[in-house]
Amino acid sequence: TESDIKGTFIFRVYGYGHGVGMSQHGAMAMAANGDTYEKILTHYYPGTTVKTESSTPATIKYGGVDIGIVEYLCKTTKQEMGYSSAGKEALKAQMATIYTYAKHNNFVVKRSQHAYADNFDYVGSKIYEACLEYLGMAAATDSPVAKYVDYNGSAANTVYFASSAGKTASASSVWKADTYPYLSGGVSSCETVDSTTKEISAADMKKYIESYAKDNNVQITLSDNPAEWLEILSHDSAYSSDIGYITELRVGNAKIKGNAFRCYVVDFAIKSHCFTVEYKA
């Protein structure tokens, strides 16, 4: 019975988020070091260039509603990055990723694709000032001129995340999809790497795994010994030669990508898929 399952899985987790693209904390660190937002962008998306938009749209369709470009960028940046510790160049880098992502999607963005601070009173804020600078506007009545991240003549897929484990992860190792060369991972991030510890009981881990198996219609067999349930099979070297973003993990008799384990097995109970795990009986 589940009451007979003893022990705990102890996760040591590095960074926060999927690890692909621009690290927001890394952008803040680069801005604090005096780097421009253009340099931040080309650092985290290597092989790209920052170009000036030929015709910046006045609105972006978000959640089926047309929203003014300044309002959209300010409210999205507020919810995605905040601004209490972000320098102006980091805010502008965030806005450029948001704008480029919208351009990549033909300026039609679903609510599931970006967080948005609906009630943010942005006028006069630090984010508003950064937005006007980013759009080359001296006043709100001026015409906006955005800059965006370009790769081979098209807007890049500028995904981002909160904080890295030292280096970025490759998109192909995180998601079941082909990736872009500028999302190949291995980009160093100058931020301080945060680590957290998360304990999950063996009984709860069994529930997580069984729920994942049922929801995804897969067969996962677990032995009577919880120490045999999880095994890291491969990882990159984001943190060190011994610790990195996990590319593949064995869960019972099944093999799962590290980020899928974080998102869909343990339901975001851990902050990233760069972790070590040990079982204590």
Side-chain angles (χ1 to χ4, degrees):
T1 66
E2 290 188 354
S3 62
D4 295 327
I5 300 174
K6 306 297 182 183
T8 303
F9 290 93
I10 302 173
F11 293 84
R12 185 70 171 175
V13 188
Y14 301 83
Y16 193 173
H18 53 63
V20 182
M22 185 185 78
S23 164
Q24 293 171 313
H25 282 224
M28 293 180 203
M30 289 185 69
N33 289 337
D35 290 319
T36 65
Y37 81 93
E38 292 97 337
K39 185 173 181 180
I40 293 170
L41 294 169
T42 54
H43 174 75
Y44 282 107
Y45 306 105
T48 65
T49 56
V50 177
K51 291 188 176 181
T52 300
E53 183 68 278
S54 59
S55 180
T56 304
T59 62
I60 290 176
K61 188 174 289 294
Y62 176 69
V65 179
D66 288 326
I67 300 172
I69 183 72
V70 173
E71 180 178 1
Y72 177 72
L73 291 176
C74 286
K75 289 186 174 181
T76 306
T77 299
K78 165 64 175 173
Q79 194 66 22
E80 289 284 357
M81 178 177 269
Y83 60 88
S84 58
S85 60
K88 188 171 285 186
E89 294 302 303
L91 291 172
K92 287 155 73 174
Q94 179 70 86
M95 290 171 189
T97 64
I98 293 167
Y99 179 85
T100 304
Y101 187 83
K103 183 177 174 68
H104 181 79
N105 289 280
N106 298 314
F107 300 111
V108 178
V109 183
K110 299 175 183 177
R111 277 194 166 265
S112 60
Q113 292 176 299
H114 271 318
Y116 190 77
D118 287 276
N119 299 318
F120 176 42
D121 185 10
Y122 59 90
V123 177
S125 69
K126 181 180 176 182
I127 287 179
Y128 180 68
E129 293 174 4
C131 187
L132 293 185
E133 281 190 22
Y134 163 64
L135 293 173
M137 302 166 69
T141 54
D142 293 343
S143 297
V145 180
K147 290 187 177 181
Y148 66 97
V149 183
D150 177 271
Y151 181 74
N152 283 352
S154 298
N157 185 17
T158 46
V159 293
Y160 52 85
F161 62 101
S163 62
S164 85
K167 296 179 182 178
T168 61
S170 71
S172 61
S173 72
V174 173
W175 300 303
K176 293 180 179 179
D178 292 334
T179 186
Y180 303 92
Y182 53 85
L183 297 179
S184 296
V187 175
S188 296
S189 197
C190 63
E191 72 212 85
T192 300
V193 177
D194 294 323
S195 62
T196 54
T197 299
K198 176 68 177 180
E199 296 187 4
I200 299 177
S201 70
D204 284 342
M205 182 61 71
K206 186 171 188 288
K207 292 178 183 177
Y208 275 133
I209 295 170
E210 289 177 343
S211 178
Y212 169 81
K214 180 180 179 181
D215 291 345
N216 292 273
N217 195 29
V218 295
Q219 290 290 118
I220 298 181
T221 302
L222 299 176
S223 71
D224 293 332
N225 182 6
E228 299 174 347
W229 292 357
L230 302 179
E231 180 187 6
I232 296 171
L233 300 177
S234 58
H235 60 78
D236 64 17
S237 56
Y239 186 75
S240 69
S241 58
D242 297 322
I243 301 171
Y245 289 104
I246 293 167
T247 52
E248 193 170 56
L249 182 78
R250 180 182 59 76
V251 180
N253 62 323
K255 294 180 179 179
I256 299 174
K257 282 182 176 286
N259 192 59
F261 175 81
R262 170 201 171 225
C263 297
Y264 308 123
V265 177
V266 297
D267 195 23
F268 296 97
I270 55 178
K271 288 187 172 183
S272 90
H273 63 290
C274 180
F275 61 80
T276 60
V277 59
E278 63 174 319
Y279 170 74
K280 287 197 173 182

